[in-house]
Amino acid sequence: PVESQRPKRNWRGWLKEYAVIVIGVLTALAAQQVAEWLHWRAQVKEAREVIATELASNLAVAVTRLRTVSCTERRLNELALILDTAAKNGSLPPVGDIGRPPRGTWPSGAWESVVASQTATHFLRQPLANIAAAYKLTERVEQFSLREIEDWNELYTMVGPGRRLDAAS
């Protein structure tokens, strides 16, 4: 009697093959996780650099504005005096260029891009909260700046030759 040419399978051999397959799959999954972690780490590093540049620009604009506050307030007091005097005597004197405070932009595109790309979800919690708070403040300052531009544009209506001033003006 000739036995089959195939080797006999036993549990030990089967378990060895199974272990090799499981270890191979786990190794592949771990390598994928490491690759993904490295990818997001690089994305976060790049995002932090772009955000830092953008916030530094916003900070420079803020510092410029702070340095000019006293000058702006002094000019507004002068303009108020002109208007108060004109209201009393009914005539606005000739007024030249009244100036305006320095304007700056308050960009937030880097932050918006980081949020839209899902990179923000990979930041550590506290730095993410700090950055979000900085951009919330930036948003409020931008709204204030837009309102300020409208107010200065309205003030510019006093520029021009002397003229009669009525209650509506």
Side-chain angles (χ1 to χ4, degrees):
V2 177
E3 283 195 35
S4 169
Q5 298 292 354
R6 283 192 299 173
K8 289 187 178 179
R9 290 230 179 227
N10 62 21
W11 283 102
R12 179 177 263 169
W14 184 86
L15 283 175
K16 281 183 182 179
E17 286 182 34
Y18 181 77
V20 167
I21 292 169
V22 168
I23 289 171
V25 169
L26 291 176
T27 301
L29 289 172
Q32 180 184 7
Q33 290 296 310
V34 168
E36 189 172 330
W37 179 81
L38 290 172
H39 165 77
W40 284 115
R41 184 174 142 194
Q43 293 288 11
V44 167
K45 181 179 185 277
E46 182 180 331
R48 288 173 62 112
E49 290 169 1
V50 172
I51 287 170
T53 300
E54 187 170 77
L55 287 176
S57 171
N58 291 346
L59 185 59
V61 171
V63 167
T64 299
R65 290 303 308 269
L66 286 173
R67 288 181 175 165
T68 61
V69 165
S70 63
C71 181
T72 300
E73 287 178 354
R74 187 172 43 254
R75 185 61 177 148
L76 286 171
N77 288 336
E78 293 167 0
L79 296 173
L81 182 61
I82 292 170
L83 289 173
D84 288 345
T85 303
K88 285 178 187 171
N89 62 21
S91 178
L92 185 65
V95 178
D97 184 24
I98 63 172
R100 39 178 106 220
R103 292 186 182 163
T105 59
W106 303 92
S108 59
W111 172 246
E112 292 165 6
S113 175
V114 166
V115 170
S117 71
Q118 300 295 316
T119 303
T121 62
H122 297 276
F123 276 62
L124 294 176
R125 186 178 318 189
Q126 193 57 52
L128 180 63
N130 294 343
I131 293 167
Y135 276 103
K136 187 66 175 173
L137 179 60
T138 298
E139 180 183 332
R140 288 181 182 153
V141 170
E142 174 68 18
Q143 291 169 356
F144 174 79
S145 293
L146 293 174
R147 173 59 197 221
E148 182 183 49
I149 290 169
E150 292 172 8
D151 291 344
W152 277 94
N153 288 340
E154 189 172 329
L155 279 174
Y156 258 84
T157 61
M158 69 187 289
V159 172
R163 58 193 178 272
R164 197 135 172 81
L165 187 67
D166 59 15
S169 300

